[in-house]
Amino acid sequence: PQNPRTPETAAPRDGLVCDLRTWAHQALKAFDQAIAAMASLLRQTQKALGRLTAKDNIKFDALSRVSHVTDATDWRVEYPFVVLTPDSEAEMAQLVKGCIELELTIIPRGGGTGYTGGAIPLTWQSVVINTEKLEGMSQVELLDLPGVDRPVPTLWTEAGVVTQRVADAAERAGFVFAVDPTSAEASCIGGNVAMNAGGKKAVLWGTALDNLASWRMVTPDAEWLDVVRMDHNMGKIHDAEVATFELRYFKADGKTPLRTETLVIPGKTFRKEGLGKDVTDKFLAGLPGVQKEGCDGLITSARWVLHRMPEHTRTVCMEFFGNAKDAVPSIVEIKDFMFAEQKRSGVLLAGLEHLDERYMRAVGYTTKSKRGHFPKMLLLADIAGDNPDDVARVTSEVVRLANSRSGEGFVAISPEARKKFWADRKRTAAISKHTN
């Protein structure tokens, strides 16, 4: 043999074999202990949480766990230990309290459409609390809100209500629900609050934060917290000199008051100058729940203010074929023109969405132009007003602004044609989600 076994080489090799055998025994022992600990925790969980919700809502099966291992990011780290699917909002605080006592990491989850990884378990000792069964929703109600001098149209929903259902309910009553993310047909209200969701209507009515009258959540201490907006300015929150919120805490029973706090926050702190919504600002001046991605509690319900859309609306699809650096300034030009026009004639920019070339190619966008080559940028806009002549005039001017930047404008007037423009955008968003 090339390496004959000698007394000098045998001892080190035998020592390594002994070490390997020791390590193997240690690994098997640790594995056995882990299995025993997991089995013990399973029994404890069934016993502790079984008193707080139906046993069918405590899911250890493989299908439930694998279904909650990731969200729209498709990132995968660990399987959750257990998945909870509570039947009602009233169960939430006690369930959170039980999970804390079991020392489980709590992960709130709704529709699972998030792209930030907020619903991804990072440890096996985690529990995903799925709020999709919390589907309570009121009719549109005219309410007197604190500090507002007139009744306001509002709509209350639990956290598991799909966003599009809220928009449809508002539309049936003749109003508009301002929160309109591209995931509206799958995302849930709890996530809209936790992510401070926006959408095409944010240009006029702002994001979720601007349109919340109040919301309810469970804190990491398993307390109930009602957050109520005082003196709502019925517009974008950064336009208000100050934004005032009353924080009302209750015990896990939901009835015993604990304390009340008041937050008075300068309105301008909610938006970054020149940027708008700052997704990196998770503190958000200490305001609980909103834009925290579930890190400081579980959203269980919310009450929203609704808006009334003007009588006449046109949708404009603008395709830009010049250099991207020349096309992008048109976004600012159109916004500045529309904001000035709003003061002059009352015609509103009720929706605006931007798609760049890479996005359009990824989703297989079909250009409306006959130029024979692909656009560098796409803008979709809703232009609305009560005077049809003013709406037509302003729409023509917006198309002219697009033309000056090597763009073409296509106008949809009928409700069916307008919905098709936006439906195409939503369909491409869905395709993009599956191709990322």
Side-chain angles (χ1 to χ4, degrees):
Q2 291 182 339
N3 297 307
R5 184 177 176 85
T6 66
E8 291 77 13
T9 62
R13 290 183 181 181
D14 291 344
L16 289 174
V17 170
C18 290
D19 288 343
L20 179 60
R21 187 174 69 173
T22 300
W23 295 334
H25 279 297
Q26 290 174 346
L28 287 171
K29 185 177 180 180
F31 180 73
D32 186 58
Q33 290 173 341
I35 293 296
M38 189 176 292
S40 175
L41 181 59
L42 187 150
R43 290 191 295 271
Q44 293 176 53
T45 302
Q46 287 177 321
K47 182 177 179 180
L49 302 185
R51 298 191 296 263
L52 307 175
T53 189
K55 287 183 170 51
D56 288 346
N57 295 338
I58 307 170
K59 301 180 183 297
F60 295 97
D61 63 284
L63 179 59
S64 295
R65 293 173 64 218
V66 76
S67 299
H68 291 79
V69 78
T70 189
D71 55 15
T73 62
D74 208 30
W75 298 336
R76 300 164 191 272
V77 181
E78 288 280 359
Y79 288 93
F81 175 66
V82 61
V83 176
L84 301 180
T85 57
D87 291 316
S88 69
E89 181 182 30
E91 297 178 1
M92 295 291 288
Q94 295 289 357
L95 283 174
V96 169
K97 185 177 181 180
C99 292
I100 292 171
E101 292 170 353
L102 291 165
E103 298 183 352
L104 294 172
T105 298
I106 300 170
I107 301 170
R109 178 190 171 98
T113 61
Y115 276 104
T116 64
I120 296 175
L122 300 180
T123 170
W124 73 264
Q125 290 176 293
S126 60
V127 50
V128 174
I129 302 182
N130 188 312
T131 62
E132 287 181 302
K133 285 186 182 178
L134 307 188
E135 294 186 306
M137 183 170 68
S138 72
Q139 299 295 320
V140 174
E141 303 170 288
L142 284 174
L143 294 182
D144 293 319
L145 300 182
V148 181
D149 60 4
R150 64 186 187 281
V152 176
T154 69
L155 200 153
W156 172 86
T157 70
E158 287 187 320
V161 178
V162 174
T163 310
Q164 190 61 49
R165 281 188 59 207
V166 186
D168 293 342
E171 185 177 358
R172 286 194 298 269
F175 295 97
V176 176
F177 179 55
V179 182
D180 184 30
T182 54
S183 60
E185 294 177 0
S187 63
C188 297
I189 287 301
N192 291 165
V193 177
M195 301 297 293
N196 192 14
K200 67 184 177 74
K201 299 170 188 169
V203 68
L204 178 58
W205 291 304
T207 60
L209 175 59
D210 304 88
N211 296 280
L212 280 163
S214 63
W215 61 97
R216 196 171 209 212
M217 58 187 289
V218 181
T219 72
D221 298 319
E223 297 174 350
W224 282 109
L225 170 57
D226 291 340
V227 184
V228 181
R229 174 87 182 268
M230 315 297 287
D231 306 317
H232 204 299
N233 66 335
M234 303 308 296
K236 295 179 180 177
I237 196 168
H238 61 271
D239 290 335
E241 184 176 348
V242 296
T244 304
F245 299 88
E246 188 171 280
L247 280 53
R248 305 166 184 169
Y249 290 87
F250 300 84
K251 285 187 177 181
D253 61 15
K255 300 176 182 178
T256 308
L258 290 172
R259 63 192 180 279
T260 300
E261 301 173 12
T262 300
L263 286 178
V264 181
I265 305 168
K268 64 181 181 181
T269 63
F270 290 103
R271 298 287 189 267
K272 195 174 183 69
E273 185 95 22
L275 177 64
K277 174 184 168 184
D278 181 4
V279 296
T280 68
D281 182 8
K282 300 305 176 191
F283 182 63
L284 208 65
L287 183 65
V290 177
Q291 205 161 294
K292 305 299 192 300
E293 301 176 25
C295 291
D296 68 346
L298 283 77
I299 307 297
T300 60
S301 62
R303 183 170 291 276
W304 305 86
V305 300
L306 304 178
H307 305 273
R308 189 177 291 280
M309 184 71 86
E311 188 174 350
H312 302 281
T313 304
R314 294 189 177 197
T315 299
V316 188
C317 175
M318 291 163 278
E319 298 179 346
F320 295 85
F321 294 88
N323 292 326
K325 65 181 179 64
D326 297 324
V328 168
S330 63
I331 301 173
V332 177
E333 291 174 354
I334 290 170
K335 284 180 63 179
D336 289 346
F337 167 72
M338 288 302 309
F339 290 160
E341 194 63 44
Q342 180 176 343
K343 296 179 180 178
R344 185 164 47 247
S345 66
V347 177
L348 309 171
L349 181 60
L352 184 66
E353 191 149 315
H354 162 263
L355 286 75
D356 63 18
E357 181 183 12
R358 185 174 62 174
Y359 183 93
M360 287 186 286
R361 288 192 183 279
V363 300
Y365 176 77
T366 303
T367 177
K368 295 177 174 59
S369 171
K370 300 188 183 301
R371 294 196 183 201
H373 57 96
F374 207 69
K376 299 292 184 182
M377 187 180 84
L378 177 73
L379 282 181
L380 278 168
D382 272 345
I383 298 172
D386 291 321
N387 186 311
D389 294 334
D390 284 339
V391 173
R393 173 182 57 80
V394 171
T395 301
S396 296
E397 179 61 19
V398 168
V399 172
R400 189 195 67 77
L401 288 172
N403 293 158
S404 70
R405 292 281 183 179
S406 299
E408 290 189 37
F410 305 89
V411 180
I413 300 175
S414 71
E416 295 76 17
R418 290 183 49 247
K419 283 185 178 180
K420 186 178 186 306
F421 272 26
W422 288 111
D424 289 345
R425 152 261 196 185
K426 287 190 175 184
R427 183 162 56 249
T428 58
I431 295 171
S432 174
K433 177 176 174 179
H434 291 293
T435 55
N436 281 344

